[in-house]
Amino acid sequence: MRNIRTYPILATLFLVFAVQGQDRRERRAKTSFENYEFIKAIRNYEDLVKKGTTSPEIYRNLGDANYFNANYSEAAKWYGLVSENDTEPLGTEHMYRYANSLGSIKNYEASSAVLRKIYERNGEKMGMTFEGFKRSIEEKQGSYEIENIAINSIESDFAPSFRLDGIVFSTARDSSIIYNSTHNWNKKRFLNLYMATRTEEGRFRRIMRFSDKLNTRLHESSTAFTQDGKTVYFTRNREKGKTFGRDSKGISRLKLYSAVFEDGKWRRIQQLPFNQEGYSVAHPALNKAEDKLYFTSDIEGTQGQSDIFVVDIHPDGSFGVPKNLGAKINTGGRETFPYVTEDDILYFASDGHPGLGGLDIFAVDLKTIESSRIVNLGEPLNSVADDFSFIINPNTKKGYFASNRAGGMGSDDIYALTELKALDTRCFIHLAGVVKDKETDAFIQNTTVTLLDGNGSIRDETHSDANGEYALTTECQETDYVLVASKDGYASDKRTISMGTMDFSNIALHLVPEDNGTLIGTDLTKHLGTNPIYFDFNTSYLRHDAKMILEKIIAYLNTYPKAKVEIRSHTDSRGHRAYNKVLSQKRARETLNYLLSKDISITRVSSVGMGESQLTNRCDGTIKCTEKEHRKNRRSEFILVE
């Protein structure tokens, strides 16, 4: 008996140990993930999945771990598995990462669909459709020429900045650094600052460590120098003594520092006062006047994962209060690596604006930010990989940027660029389409097509050609446009054009011949092939099905702006005749008010209550009728009177 009873006990113990082992593996994977050891986290999570342990959290963390290591194909796969889960869908931040992962594998249509879901979820208009994005990228082709340069190593090289006759950049090439100083984020070496000086021909002749005073056993990256080269703002991990300073979550955040070049050495190294505990502040950029410092941060109140901010630098060297650059520039994704030219053009990297994949480089004119557009710089500057840390000299049209695209020497490489076509940040929309006869589908020529802004002012006007085609151009505005087609003998067609579509290449306008004299005295519900509007017994409120029919009446009145109707409302025969008269008047007034609420002019509609005087059947109270028969008498009609 003892042996027989041992089997279930052993089975139970085996199950307990198996569950405990699984729990340990999950905790180990999660610990690696939370410690930013993403390579180890990927290995541990994938091992769990192979053994049959799955959950939205595991898929989401696998997506993040791959995303932050630029493994976008894998990231898209894992995010996709979470996206298919209705019970625990992706949040906005992860949706942005999913969209950019899809873009990085050139699945732009799917990427656009994910972005559209984000905007719909947030109740906003999407800035660009898939087709609109494709056209904007095509417009930028041939704008830049790029070249991988000789200063790159097999390690990560990025974040170039101008200083005097050369550039300073961040690199992980120091081979003398031991493994324990490897950054756990992606198993890359720690970053130091290097400098490279140029010859008159623009080639680099010398590459060396920038400064032992600035380089430490921490990360140093992304510098910004004053024009005289004597003051630098730079990024470094929060320090504690000579090692990492970690916050309450165990994370060593990025901070901004400054230093001054005196007597041949960099001195007075200090944190900037607006660094905040528990948040990262990084990637400085100066304007030409050197009285504004732009930077990236995830401080509380950001639009997304990281936003671009600006802070005033006062004449005495103190700083003002940092300000977020706002929702036009910052999204729910990452905005990072700002750079400002002497013309106040802001270049930055983002994975929140529609792009080719990963981080793309964008530009906007800070002087006219409300009327400017966010410009994706297009190929070959941008790619399916991460493209970032852009700088340019507007006078020479030459500059640099970094990318981890395929074909480089290391994980991140610095590329030289030459601007071949001037950047235009003005925003224009081009509308085109055809005008047709709605009844015959024939093209209509010489139709006046007018584009109105939100205030009703004419922005552009043209006439359709012999093929019924038209084209209009105007500067962008935040509010919607109204497109109107009009021609003698036809009822005009009016379309509201939302800036959220950004796809204006094929807008068909349909005109209907104005010949409705034969319809005078006709109930429009019969002409339109709908039921009359019916009411419930002893009520005057409009039912849902009645409002659907009213929308068709409204559409007809908008199509024929000269048409006028009389609303005639009725009751059944039950109840006192005088009471039924009043009830029908209430029904007529309720119907009239609905049309007025939809911007139908009071000069075009009137109403009258008919009581029980015009029954549609034999139910006059002398015989017994069903409820269905009585219902046919409780109605509103729309009689065309002009």
Side-chain angles (χ1 to χ4, degrees):
M1 288 293 291
R2 283 196 302 271
N3 289 337
I4 295 173
R5 295 166 64 182
T6 299
Y7 293 123
I9 295 173
L10 290 174
T12 302
L13 288 173
F14 178 79
L15 179 61
V16 169
F17 292 145
V19 171
Q20 290 177 343
Q22 176 179 304
D23 290 342
R24 283 196 299 271
R25 287 193 296 271
E26 287 192 53
R27 287 196 300 272
R28 186 164 58 243
K30 189 171 184 179
T31 298
S32 298
F33 180 82
E34 292 176 346
N35 288 336
Y36 298 93
E37 296 174 296
F38 290 138
I39 300 298
K40 186 186 294 184
I42 290 170
R43 187 169 59 249
N44 290 336
Y45 277 130
E46 286 182 343
D47 184 56
L48 283 168
V49 173
K50 288 178 182 177
K51 289 180 168 58
T53 303
T54 61
S55 70
E57 180 184 6
I58 289 175
Y59 291 153
R60 189 167 50 247
N61 289 351
L62 268 168
D64 283 346
N66 281 283
Y67 183 83
F68 289 127
N69 281 279
N71 301 324
Y72 295 118
S73 178
E74 284 294 299
K77 179 181 76 174
W78 297 114
Y79 287 144
L81 290 173
V82 186
S83 183
E84 295 168 2
N85 187 331
D86 294 333
T87 59
E88 193 175 334
L90 287 172
T92 298
E93 186 174 306
H94 287 91
M95 290 280 279
Y96 273 109
R97 295 175 192 167
Y98 184 29
N100 281 284
S101 298
L102 290 167
S104 293
I105 57 177
K106 297 189 175 182
N107 194 346
Y108 299 127
E109 194 161 4
S111 176
S112 180
V114 174
L115 284 174
R116 188 176 293 108
K117 288 182 180 179
I118 297 173
Y119 283 87
E120 289 173 353
R121 178 186 293 180
N122 296 336
E124 301 170 354
K125 294 178 180 178
M126 183 173 170
M128 192 173 294
T129 63
F130 171 58
E131 291 298 325
F133 170 68
K134 282 203 306 184
R135 283 199 309 278
S136 71
I137 293 299
E138 289 167 358
E139 290 174 0
K140 300 303 297 178
Q141 288 184 349
S143 295
Y144 295 92
E145 184 177 82
I146 67 171
E147 175 190 5
N148 195 306
I149 56 179
I151 69 172
N152 290 305
S153 68
I154 61 172
E155 297 294 344
S156 179
D157 303 286
F158 67 101
S161 64
F162 294 117
R163 182 178 186 261
L164 302 179
D165 62 345
I167 62 170
V168 175
F169 62 97
S170 185
T171 179
R173 68 184 60 197
D174 289 320
S175 59
S176 62
I177 296 180
I178 60 174
Y179 180 81
N180 287 339
S181 292
T182 300
H183 186 23
N184 284 331
W185 180 290
N186 55 10
K187 295 303 182 186
K188 301 297 181 185
R189 300 182 185 281
F190 276 95
L191 303 170
N192 278 319
L193 299 176
Y194 269 61
M195 65 179 294
T197 55
R198 290 171 298 191
T199 64
E200 291 183 359
E201 294 77 25
R203 300 294 176 182
F204 292 100
R205 67 175 183 267
R206 189 181 182 192
I207 304 169
M208 58 186 294
R209 284 170 64 93
F210 179 58
S211 167
D212 289 337
K213 292 291 184 180
L214 297 186
N215 287 323
T216 65
R217 294 172 64 87
L218 306 173
H219 282 299
E220 282 83 28
S221 70
S222 52
T223 55
F225 292 89
T226 54
Q227 295 175 57
D228 62 9
K230 294 183 178 180
T231 300
V232 63
Y233 300 93
F234 66 99
T235 304
R236 175 188 286 172
N237 287 90
R238 177 175 178 265
E239 59 184 339
K240 185 177 182 180
K242 293 185 178 181
T243 186
F244 284 111
R246 301 184 184 276
D247 62 17
S248 59
K249 296 182 179 179
I251 301 172
S252 183
R253 307 284 181 177
L254 299 177
K255 303 296 179 185
L256 279 183
Y257 292 74
S258 66
V260 178
F261 194 68
E262 296 176 335
D263 301 324
K265 291 185 179 181
W266 288 100
R267 306 175 187 273
R268 288 191 275 161
I269 301 172
Q270 58 185 350
Q271 279 201 47
L272 299 190
F274 50 83
N275 289 322
Q276 292 191 30
E277 184 69 21
Y279 300 97
S280 285
V281 182
H283 311 321
L286 283 167
N287 66 339
K288 182 182 179 181
E290 299 177 357
D291 58 0
K292 293 184 184 297
L293 183 69
Y294 295 82
F295 62 91
T296 299
S297 182
D298 62 351
I299 59 178
E300 191 170 354
T302 55
Q303 304 280 335
Q305 297 166 252
S306 62
D307 283 6
I308 297 175
F309 292 76
V310 63
V311 63
D312 290 331
I313 304 174
H314 299 144
D316 63 358
S318 62
F319 294 88
V321 178
K323 298 178 182 178
N324 191 299
L325 290 191
K328 181 156 189 176
I329 292 173
N330 295 313
T331 69
R334 292 179 293 173
E335 277 68 49
T336 185
F337 290 102
Y339 177 77
V340 181
T341 70
E342 61 185 47
D343 300 323
D344 273 343
I345 302 298
L346 170 67
Y347 293 88
F348 62 99
S350 171
D351 63 6
H353 295 279
L356 296 174
L359 291 169
D360 272 21
I361 300 168
F362 297 83
V364 65
D365 191 337
L366 292 173
K367 300 185 299 297
T368 56
I369 190 168
E370 293 305 320
S371 59
S372 295
R373 58 175 174 156
I374 305 295
V375 180
N376 184 306
L377 299 190
E379 296 176 315
L381 204 69
N382 289 321
S383 68
V384 297
D386 286 325
D387 307 289
F388 56 102
S389 61
F390 175 101
I391 61 173
I392 191 171
N393 183 328
N395 298 318
T396 64
K397 307 299 182 183
K398 294 185 180 295
Y400 304 90
F401 74 103
S403 177
N404 62 359
R405 66 187 64 191
M409 294 180 62
S411 57
D412 299 309
D413 277 9
I414 296 173
Y415 291 77
L417 66 91
T418 302
E419 185 182 75
L420 304 178
K421 289 166 55 177
L423 176 71
D424 187 358
T425 60
R426 292 177 301 167
C427 181
F428 291 94
I429 62 168
H430 309 282
L431 301 96
V434 294
V435 183
K436 292 184 176 183
D437 187 303
K438 189 172 184 178
E439 296 180 356
T440 66
D441 209 36
F443 296 116
I444 305 176
Q445 63 180 346
N446 202 32
T447 300
T448 301
V449 183
T450 306
L451 185 66
L452 306 174
D453 63 19
N455 297 320
S457 301
I458 297 176
R459 299 293 293 267
D460 197 11
E461 189 170 270
T462 189
H463 292 84
S464 59
D465 62 17
N467 298 315
E469 296 179 352
Y470 69 90
L472 297 160
T473 299
T474 187
E475 289 190 60
C476 299
Q477 65 175 29
E478 293 297 321
T479 57
D480 294 340
Y481 295 94
V482 177
L483 192 62
V484 181
S486 57
K487 184 178 174 65
D488 289 342
Y490 291 87
S492 61
D493 187 16
K494 181 169 63 175
R495 293 278 301 278
T496 298
I497 306 298
S498 171
M499 281 297 293
T501 64
M502 292 298 287
D503 189 9
F504 311 127
S505 59
N506 189 24
I507 304 173
L509 299 168
H510 297 93
L511 301 183
V512 179
E514 284 187 317
D515 183 17
N516 294 308
T518 58
L519 297 179
I520 300 299
T522 301
D523 181 0
L524 285 183
T525 60
K526 295 179 180 178
H527 174 66
L528 297 174
T530 70
N531 291 321
I533 287 179
Y534 291 119
F535 294 87
D536 290 335
F537 177 68
N538 200 29
T539 68
S540 61
Y541 75 88
L542 293 173
R543 303 185 326 201
H544 177 69
D545 59 341
K547 291 180 180 179
M548 294 176 64
I549 296 169
L550 279 170
E551 291 300 326
K552 295 184 178 181
I553 301 294
I554 292 166
Y556 178 91
L557 293 174
N558 286 331
T559 302
Y560 299 96
K562 295 181 180 179
K564 296 182 180 180
V565 296
E566 181 181 82
I567 301 167
R568 298 177 184 175
S569 295
H570 307 264
T571 69
D572 61 31
S573 60
R574 292 176 293 181
H576 193 275
R577 186 178 296 272
Y579 176 84
N580 285 339
K581 181 70 173 180
V582 173
L583 179 59
S584 68
Q585 290 171 345
K586 289 181 179 179
R587 288 172 175 172
R589 175 58 60 179
E590 193 78 16
T591 308
L592 174 68
N593 286 340
Y594 187 88
L595 296 182
L596 297 180
S597 74
K598 299 295 183 176
D599 296 328
I600 301 299
S601 172
I602 188 62
T603 62
R604 300 180 60 199
V605 288
S606 58
S607 65
V608 60
M610 307 298 293
E612 59 183 84
S613 64
Q614 294 184 2
L615 301 175
T616 64
N617 52 31
R618 59 193 178 93
C619 301
D620 60 359
T622 61
I623 62 173
K624 186 176 181 180
C625 289
T626 65
E627 174 58 28
K628 184 177 181 181
E629 290 174 318
H630 282 302
R631 183 174 69 90
K632 290 184 177 181
N633 290 314
R634 302 192 300 266
R635 69 200 188 278
S636 278
E637 299 168 329
F638 301 85
I639 308 303
L640 189 66
V641 296
E642 183 177 329

